[in-house]
Amino acid sequence: MCRPEYFTVSYAINPFMHPDEPTDTALAVRQWDALRDVYRGLGHEVEFLAPVPGLVDMVFAANGGFTVDGRAYLASFAYPERRPEADSFRAWFAAHGFETHEPASVNEGEGDFAFAGGVILAGHGFRSTADSHTELARVFGREVLSLRLVDERFYHLDVALTVLDSAATGGPARIAYLPSAFDEAGQALLAQRFPDSIIVSEQEAAILALNSVSDGRNVVVAQDAHDYIAALAGAGYTPVPVDLSELLKSGGGVKCVSQELRR
Ligand code: ARG
C-alpha cells in the first residue's frame, strides 16, 4: 500500500475524476489508515511503498504490477500522468525479492489482472492492451483468460470483477462481477468458467462495489454496496465494510489501493 499523502484529483483520465471539484487529502489519509488497520486486524501483513510528491494517483498501488510465484510483471501506464510511478514500483519489487519482468506492452498490473484458481483473468480495452495478455502467459506460464471491457466507467478489470475465492484448496474459484462491463464473448466465457458467481448491479458497481478484496473468507468492500454485502453474507463470506469516499473521487476503491503479493 502507498499512503495518499499527496493525493488529489489534478487531471481526468477516467469518468470519476473532476479536477475542478475539491478533494480532502487529510480525509483520504484517514480513510486509508483505517483500511490498513482493517487488513492488520484480519491478520494480514501490510508492506509500504513510499509516496512521491506530485504523483497524486500513486495511492492506487494495485496498478504498479502483478505478482504470482514470486515474479512481478511490471506496469507500463497508459497515461503519461502516471508513467513516472513505474520506477518506484520496479525498485520496490526488486528490493523485496521479486524476480522482475519488464513489460513490452502497456499494462496497469492488478488493475487489469487477477489470479483465480491457477488461471489469470486479464482485462483490456481501456488501459492494458491485449498484447500484455500474451506477455502475461509467457511470464507466468499459466492460462490467461482475456476479457474485453466495454464500459468506460469500468475501465479496469478490478472495478468490474472480484475474485472471492482463488481456490487455494483445489476447489473451483469463485468470482463476483458485472456482466455488462464485458463484451459478449467475455460474458459467455465468464458464465462458462465461473457458473457459481455473484452478479452485481450496475448501480453498485458504479460506487466500486466490485473493487473489493477477499482473502477467501473476509471481503473488504465499499460500505454503501448494500445488496452486494448481503449477497456476500448469504454466500458464506464475512463482509467487512469500509469507507473510501475520498478516493472514489479519483475512480478508485479498496482493491485499487491494495497490491496483493503472491510470493
Ligand atoms: N485515478 C486512477 C486512474 O485513473 C485510479 C486508478 C484506480 N485503480 C484501479 N486499480 N482501478 O488511473
Side-chain angles (χ1 to χ4, degrees):
M1 298 179 79
C2 179
R3 205 161 186 252
E5 289 167 22
Y6 306 104
F7 172 77
T8 189
V9 175
S10 54
Y11 49 81
I13 57 174
N14 72 53
F16 294 83
M17 301 175 83
H18 302 289
D20 39 326
E21 287 169 17
T23 54
D24 181 341
T25 304
L27 177 58
V29 169
R30 284 200 299 281
Q31 292 177 337
W32 181 96
D33 283 351
L35 175 64
R36 175 204 55 208
D37 293 346
V38 161
Y39 285 138
R40 286 176 167 165
L42 292 172
H44 300 300
E45 199 184 319
V46 185
E47 299 182 51
F48 302 99
L49 173 68
V52 174
L55 299 183
V56 297
D57 270 340
M58 206 168 158
V59 60
F60 301 113
N63 300 139
F66 177 72
T67 66
V68 182
D69 299 330
R71 290 179 209 154
Y73 176 57
L74 302 171
S76 171
F77 288 86
Y79 289 98
E81 289 88 341
R82 295 199 64 185
R83 272 176 213 152
E85 296 178 32
D87 289 340
S88 294
F89 284 101
R90 175 188 299 103
W92 193 96
F93 285 120
H96 289 77
F98 286 87
E99 177 187 300
T100 56
H101 292 260
E102 286 299 329
S105 323
V106 168
N107 84 88
E108 297 195 348
E110 267 203 329
D112 275 321
F113 309 142
F115 192 62
V119 303
I120 297 170
L121 304 185
H124 68 95
F126 296 101
R127 302 291 181 91
S128 303
T129 60
D131 286 350
S132 69
H133 300 182
T134 312
E135 278 194 274
L136 268 182
R138 202 174 54 232
V139 168
F140 295 104
R142 291 177 184 266
E143 184 186 12
V144 174
L145 301 184
S146 193
L147 302 160
R148 191 157 80 87
L149 296 163
V150 295
D151 184 331
E152 63 166 2
R153 288 172 301 165
F154 309 111
Y155 58 92
H156 272 144
L157 183 71
D158 74 358
V159 293
L161 181 151
T162 304
V163 177
L164 294 172
D165 189 339
S166 69
T169 49
R174 192 143 198 236
I175 65 169
Y177 67 104
L178 171 69
S180 64
F182 300 92
D183 70 2
E184 262 178 50
Q187 292 183 30
L189 186 60
L190 289 171
Q192 184 219 333
R193 297 290 291 253
F194 303 98
D196 189 25
S197 301
I198 293 177
I199 301 299
V200 168
S201 71
E202 214 167 288
Q203 294 97 291
E204 291 204 344
I207 55 162
L208 303 192
L210 284 162
N211 198 241
S212 55
V213 171
S214 175
D215 61 13
R217 179 182 305 205
N218 307 288
V219 184
V220 186
V221 55
Q223 63 179 10
D224 294 332
H226 304 293
D227 292 346
Y228 180 41
I229 286 171
L232 288 168
Y237 297 96
T238 303
V240 184
V242 295
D243 181 12
L244 288 183
S245 59
E246 207 50 34
L247 296 167
L248 184 61
K249 294 178 179 173
S250 191
V254 179
K255 174 63 211 168
C256 300
V257 303
S258 313
Q259 165 82 234
E260 289 169 67
L261 300 170
R262 300 175 198 85
R263 291 191 157 101

